[in-house]
Coordinates of all heavy atoms in Angstrom, one line a residue:
N256 N 1.9 38.7 -0.2 CA 2.7 38.5 -1.4 C 3.7 37.4 -1.2 O 5.0 37.6 -1.2 CB 3.3 39.8 -2.0 CG 3.9 39.6 -3.4 OD1 3.4 38.6 -4.1 ND2 4.8 40.4 -3.8
I257 N 3.1 36.2 -0.9 CA 4.0 35.1 -0.6 C 3.5 33.8 -1.4 O 2.3 33.7 -1.5 CB 3.9 34.8 0.9 CG1 4.5 35.9 1.8 CG2 4.6 33.5 1.3 CD1 4.2 35.7 3.3
P258 N 4.3 33.0 -2.1 CA 3.9 32.0 -2.7 C 3.3 30.9 -1.8 O 3.7 30.8 -0.8 CB 5.2 31.4 -3.5 CG 6.3 32.0 -2.8 CD 5.8 33.3 -2.1
N259 N 2.3 30.3 -2.3 CA 1.7 29.1 -1.5 C 2.7 28.0 -1.2 O 3.6 27.8 -2.0 CB 0.5 28.5 -2.2 CG -0.7 29.5 -2.3 OD1 -0.5 30.7 -2.1 ND2 -1.9 28.9 -2.6
G260 N 2.6 27.4 -0.1 CA 3.5 26.5 0.3 C 3.0 25.7 1.5 O 1.9 25.9 1.9
N261 N 3.9 25.0 2.1 CA 3.6 24.4 3.4 C 3.9 25.6 4.5 O 4.9 26.1 4.5 CB 4.5 23.3 3.8 CG 4.1 22.0 2.8 OD1 3.0 21.8 2.4 ND2 5.1 21.2 2.6
N262 N 2.8 25.7 5.3 CA 2.9 26.9 6.2 C 3.0 26.4 7.7 O 2.4 25.5 8.1 CB 1.7 27.8 6.0 CG 1.6 28.1 4.5 OD1 2.4 28.7 3.9 ND2 0.4 27.6 3.9
Y263 N 3.7 27.2 8.4 CA 4.0 26.9 9.8 C 3.8 28.3 10.6 O 4.2 29.3 10.1 CB 5.4 26.4 10.1 CG 5.7 25.2 9.1 CD1 6.1 25.5 7.9 CD2 5.4 23.9 9.6 CE1 6.3 24.4 6.9 CE2 5.5 22.9 8.7 CZ 5.9 23.1 7.4 OH 6.2 22.1 6.6
L264 N 3.2 28.1 11.8 CA 3.2 29.2 12.7 C 3.9 28.9 14.0 O 3.5 27.9 14.7 CB 1.8 29.7 12.9 CG 1.6 30.8 14.0 CD1 2.4 32.1 13.7 CD2 0.1 31.2 14.2
I265 N 4.9 29.5 14.4 CA 5.6 29.2 15.8 C 5.2 30.5 16.7 O 5.4 31.7 16.4 CB 7.1 29.3 15.6 CG1 7.5 28.2 14.6 CG2 7.8 29.0 16.9 CD1 9.0 28.2 14.2
D266 N 4.5 30.2 17.8 CA 3.8 31.1 18.5 C 3.7 30.7 20.0 O 3.5 29.4 20.2 CB 2.5 31.5 18.0 CG 1.9 32.9 18.4 OD1 1.8 33.1 19.6 OD2 1.8 33.7 17.5
D267 N 3.7 31.6 20.9 CA 3.7 31.1 22.4 C 2.0 30.9 22.6 O 1.8 30.3 23.7 CB 4.2 32.2 23.3 CG 3.5 33.6 23.2 OD1 3.6 34.2 22.2 OD2 2.8 33.9 24.2
L268 N 1.2 31.6 22.1 CA -0.2 31.4 22.3 C -0.7 30.1 21.9 O 0.0 29.4 21.0 CB -1.0 32.4 21.6 CG -1.0 33.9 22.1 CD1 -1.9 34.7 21.2 CD2 -1.3 34.0 23.5
S269 N -1.8 29.6 22.4 CA -2.4 28.4 21.9 C -3.1 28.7 20.5 O -3.5 29.8 20.4 CB -3.4 27.8 22.9 OG -4.6 28.5 22.9
S270 N -3.3 27.7 19.8 CA -4.0 27.9 18.5 C -5.4 28.5 18.6 O -6.0 29.2 17.9 CB -4.0 26.7 17.7 OG -4.7 25.6 18.5
Y271 N -6.1 28.2 19.9 CA -7.4 28.6 20.2 C -7.4 30.1 20.4 O -8.4 30.7 20.1 CB -8.0 27.9 21.4 CG -7.9 26.4 21.3 CD1 -7.0 25.7 22.0 CD2 -8.9 25.8 20.5 CE1 -6.9 24.4 21.9 CE2 -8.9 24.4 20.4 CZ -7.8 23.7 21.1 OH -7.9 22.3 20.9
D272 N -6.3 30.6 20.7 CA -6.3 32.2 21.0 C -5.6 32.8 19.8 O -5.2 33.9 20.0 CB -5.4 32.4 22.3 CG -6.0 31.8 23.5 OD1 -7.3 31.9 23.6 OD2 -5.3 31.2 24.3
N273 N -5.4 32.2 18.7 CA -4.7 32.8 17.6 C -5.6 32.7 16.3 O -4.9 32.6 15.3 CB -3.4 32.2 17.4 CG -2.3 33.1 17.6 OD1 -2.5 34.4 17.5 ND2 -1.0 32.7 17.9
Y274 N -6.9 32.9 16.4 CA -7.7 32.7 15.2 C -7.3 33.5 14.1 O -7.3 33.1 13.0 CB -9.1 33.0 15.7 CG -10.1 33.1 14.7 CD1 -10.8 31.9 14.1 CD2 -10.6 34.3 14.1 CE1 -11.7 31.9 13.1 CE2 -11.5 34.3 13.0 CZ -12.0 33.1 12.6 OH -13.0 33.2 11.6
E275 N -7.1 34.9 14.3 CA -6.7 35.8 13.3 C -5.5 35.4 12.6 O -5.5 35.5 11.3 CB -6.6 37.3 13.8 CG -7.9 37.8 14.3 CD -7.9 37.8 15.8 OE1 -7.2 36.9 16.5 OE2 -8.4 38.7 16.4
K276 N -4.4 35.0 13.2 CA -3.2 34.7 12.6 C -3.4 33.5 11.8 O -2.8 33.4 10.6 CB -2.1 34.5 13.6 CG -1.5 35.8 14.2 CD -0.3 35.3 15.0 CE 0.3 36.7 15.6 NZ 1.4 36.3 16.6
I277 N -4.1 32.5 12.1 CA -4.4 31.3 11.6 C -5.2 31.6 10.2 O -4.9 31.1 9.2 CB -5.1 30.2 12.4 CG1 -4.2 29.7 13.5 CG2 -5.6 29.1 11.5 CD1 -4.8 28.9 14.6
K278 N -6.2 32.5 10.4 CA -6.9 32.8 9.2 C -6.1 33.6 8.2 O -6.2 33.4 6.9 CB -8.0 33.8 9.6 CG -9.3 33.1 10.1 CD -10.1 32.6 9.0 CE -11.1 31.6 9.3 NZ -11.5 30.6 8.3
F279 N -5.2 34.5 8.6 CA -4.2 35.1 7.8 C -3.5 34.1 7.0 O -3.4 34.2 5.7 CB -3.3 36.1 8.6 CG -2.3 36.8 7.8 CD1 -2.7 37.8 6.9 CD2 -1.0 36.3 7.9 CE1 -1.6 38.4 6.2 CE2 0.0 37.0 7.1 CZ -0.3 37.9 6.2
I280 N -2.9 33.2 7.6 CA -2.0 32.3 7.0 C -2.8 31.3 6.0 O -2.3 30.9 4.9 CB -1.2 31.4 8.0 CG1 -0.2 32.4 8.8 CG2 -0.3 30.3 7.4 CD1 0.5 31.8 10.0
E281 N -4.0 31.0 6.4 CA -4.8 30.1 5.6 C -5.0 30.6 4.2 O -5.4 29.7 3.3 CB -6.1 29.8 6.3 CG -6.1 28.7 7.3 CD -7.4 28.4 8.1 OE1 -8.4 29.3 7.8 OE2 -7.5 27.5 8.8
Q282 N -4.8 31.9 3.9 CA -4.9 32.4 2.6 C -3.8 31.7 1.7 O -3.9 31.7 0.4 CB -4.7 33.9 2.6 CG -5.7 34.6 3.3 CD -5.5 36.1 3.4 OE1 -6.2 36.8 2.6 NE2 -4.5 36.6 4.2
L283 N -2.9 31.2 2.3 CA -1.7 30.5 1.5 C -1.8 29.0 1.7 O -1.1 28.2 1.1 CB -0.4 30.9 2.2 CG -0.1 32.4 2.2 CD1 1.2 32.7 3.1 CD2 0.0 33.0 0.8
G284 N -2.8 28.5 2.6 CA -2.9 27.0 2.8 C -2.9 26.9 4.4 O -2.5 27.8 5.2
P285 N -3.4 25.8 4.7 CA -3.6 25.6 6.2 C -2.1 25.6 6.9 O -1.3 24.8 6.5 CB -4.2 24.3 6.4 CG -4.0 23.5 5.1 CD -3.8 24.6 4.1
P286 N -2.1 26.3 8.1 CA -0.7 26.2 8.8 C -0.6 25.0 9.8 O -1.7 24.7 10.3 CB -0.7 27.5 9.6 CG -2.2 27.8 9.8 CD -3.0 27.2 8.7
K287 N 0.6 24.6 9.9 CA 0.8 23.7 10.9 C 1.2 24.6 12.2 O 2.1 25.4 12.1 CB 2.1 22.8 10.6 CG 2.2 21.6 11.7 CD 3.3 20.7 11.2 CE 2.5 19.4 10.4 NZ 3.4 18.4 10.1
Y288 N 0.5 24.3 13.3 CA 0.8 25.3 14.4 C 1.8 24.5 15.4 O 1.7 23.5 15.9 CB -0.6 25.4 15.2 CG -0.7 26.6 16.1 CD1 -1.2 27.7 15.6 CD2 -0.1 26.5 17.4 CE1 -1.4 28.8 16.3 CE2 -0.2 27.8 18.1 CZ -0.8 28.9 17.6 OH -0.8 30.0 18.4

Side-chain angles (χ1 to χ4, degrees):
N256 188 20
I257 295 174
N259 288 15
N261 291 328
N262 308 297
Y263 307 86
L264 174 56
I265 300 172
D266 203 297
D267 65 289
L268 291 182
S269 79
S270 59
Y271 305 103
D272 295 319
N273 239 342
Y274 174 81
E275 294 101 329
K276 282 190 184 175
I277 292 168
K278 276 284 167 205
F279 172 76
I280 298 171
E281 274 177 353
Q282 299 179 100
L283 307 168
K287 186 172 269 187
Y288 202 97

